[in-house]
Amino acid sequence: METIVAAVMPAPHAPIELREFPRPDLPPGGALLDTLYSEVCGTDVHLWHGRLSGVPYPIIPGHVSIGTLAASRGQMVALNGAHLKEGDPVVFFDVHRTCGRCYACTVARTPTKCPSRRVYGITDPAAEGLLGGWAEMIYLEPGVGVMRLPHGVTPEAYIGGGCGLLTAVHIIERAAVRPGDVVVVQGIGAVGLSAIALARLAGAVDVIAIGGPGDRAPLAMEMGAEVVLALDETSPEERASVVRAYTGGRGADIVIEAAGSPHAVEEAFGLVRDGGVYVIAGHYTNNGSSTINAHEHINRKHLDIRGCWGSEARHFVTALTMLERHADEVPWERIGATTFGLDELNEALAEAEALKFSKALVKPRARGLRR
Ligand SMILES: [Zn+2]
Ligand SMILES: [Zn+2]
């Protein structure tokens, strides 16, 4: 019997182990991908530390991934109606089982809050099979949204953008960036980097990035930031004065939080203009409370504060469109600068936690990539 190797996270804090899985029998509408790449992102570090609720350990991590179509039972039809064939480079929307019938899906029209929703690599148990990208093959159950990788987009650019790009598409939609806006992005991790690029593409004249570590600043500039204010080299007062200097003393039209820090939230009220918009997307886990003065920071300021949770299939498809049109000018492939084999993921998680990279790639068919 053919077996498929996957890297399993048995429980929070436990070392990642390699385990063998049987090749699944495909039901009608099911498919199997030969994994080209998955990723190690900040979410995987949170998973490893048990900071997300409702995770059915053991799991096979790796939510955003890319593979070639190895097998399918019946014709695979992409979200855009294209017919996929064996050998095609295929990407899939990691969120599945959104029900389309519950209150969140229908009345509130917030499908990212659907209670039935599951996510590959995060809320799918390894007991149910190859539902994560840290594996030689990925099982696509019937109903998973798939697309062919657009022509001209490399697998490295797709996975470099990865989950951060999908999140950033949703952020920019929530922020409603308009031509001429000045946007501040707090955080220059994978989400912040893509938010910088998309804010510029949406018409922002200047994007001011705040974050660290400092060795990420050159990439933030290449993603489209006008200036990068290093957290450890500037004070909050200095950062606010730079933002005022770019905005005629008013403050930024939009501030995007992709830092995951309660202090970033407190700082934002001094960066955003009266009547501006603040989108909070970096507090994916509970990082503690921020102090807000409702009169000064929200009511008198006439401020619009918007949360941003998860992403929808349309954000996934838009991410592909942006890659297809702009991957030659936006260096998404450089966000995933480091690649690990399936047997090196404990090291990868330790380095991710130490912020040695904003995102690493996982190449499941390879072992011992790191020297
Ligand atoms: Zn639902
Ligand atoms: Zn991720």
Side-chain angles (χ1 to χ4, degrees), residues 1-5 20-24 32 34 70-71 130 136-137 365:
M1 188 179 66
E2 186 189 351
T3 57
I4 294 152
V5 177
E20 292 191 338
F21 289 74
R23 184 183 171 111
L32 207 50
D34 217 332
L130 297 163
E136 292 174 334
M137 299 189 103
R365 289 287 184 190

Side-chain angles (χ1 to χ4, degrees), residues 27-340:
L32 207 50
L33 297 186
D34 217 332
T35 315
L36 287 172
Y37 286 110
S38 188
E39 58 179 14
V40 180
C41 75
T43 298
D44 301 306
V45 177
H46 293 316
L47 286 167
W48 201 34
H49 288 288
R51 292 190 198 118
L52 293 174
S53 57
V55 177
Y57 300 96
I59 60 168
I60 302 172
H63 39 283
V64 171
S65 311
I66 176 170
T68 52
L69 187 59
S72 66
R73 187 158 167 209
Q75 176 65 54
M76 287 289 285
V77 181
L79 288 165
N80 63 355
H83 285 203
L84 303 176
K85 58 181 194 307
E86 275 181 29
D88 277 347
V90 168
V91 293
F92 63 97
F93 184 45
D94 57 341
V95 178
H96 62 131
R97 300 197 193 181
T98 303
C99 79
R101 294 184 298 275
C102 70
Y103 192 93
C105 284
T106 59
V107 179
R109 304 185 96 180
T110 51
T112 66
K113 298 305 299 176
C114 172
S116 304
R117 171 184 186 269
R118 296 216 325 205
V119 187
Y120 273 75
I122 299 177
T123 53
D124 284 322
E128 292 185 21
L130 297 163
L131 300 169
W134 292 9
E136 292 174 334
M137 299 189 103
I138 302 168
Y139 167 59
L140 299 183
E141 69 171 21
V144 171
V146 296
M147 288 284 283
R148 191 192 190 283
L149 185 70
H151 292 282
V153 179
T154 63
E156 291 78 13
Y158 174 75
I159 203 72
C163 58
L165 173 57
L166 261 72
T167 304
V169 170
H170 196 182
I171 288 171
I172 297 302
E173 180 184 281
R174 292 288 280 159
V177 177
R178 289 176 299 189
D181 280 348
V182 173
V183 175
V184 170
V185 175
Q186 300 176 297
I188 51 173
V191 174
L193 290 169
S194 275
I196 291 167
L198 295 185
R200 287 298 302 276
L201 292 169
V205 285
D206 289 315
V207 177
I208 299 163
I210 298 173
D215 58 0
R216 288 184 194 172
L219 183 53
M221 298 291 285
E222 284 186 53
M223 296 301 286
E226 179 67 22
V227 59
V228 181
L229 305 172
L231 268 185
D232 50 358
E233 290 166 21
T234 56
S235 67
E237 294 72 29
E238 286 169 330
R239 296 193 284 271
S241 75
V242 170
V243 172
R244 282 195 298 273
Y246 272 90
T247 55
R250 287 182 298 274
D253 302 290
I254 292 164
V255 177
I256 290 166
E257 186 275 323
S261 155
H263 300 298
V265 174
E266 291 164 355
E267 183 172 338
F269 300 107
L271 303 174
V272 67
R273 70 164 165 80
D274 287 2
V277 174
Y278 186 34
V279 178
I280 296 179
H283 284 243
Y284 187 62
T285 56
N286 188 344
N287 296 307
S289 301
S290 310
T291 301
I292 295 172
N293 181 301
H295 165 69
E296 192 182 330
H297 297 145
I298 302 174
N299 198 331
R300 191 179 71 184
K301 211 170 168 64
H302 194 64
L303 185 64
D304 207 342
I305 302 177
R306 299 172 188 167
C308 183
W309 184 253
S311 43
E312 299 175 44
R314 62 200 164 87
H315 304 124
F316 164 66
V317 173
T318 300
L320 290 169
T321 304
M322 300 312 280
L323 282 162
E324 184 175 14
R325 300 294 173 91
H326 299 287
D328 52 346
E329 72 215 60
V330 179
W332 274 294
E333 76 285 347
R334 287 192 42 212
I335 298 178
T338 313
T339 304
F340 292 87

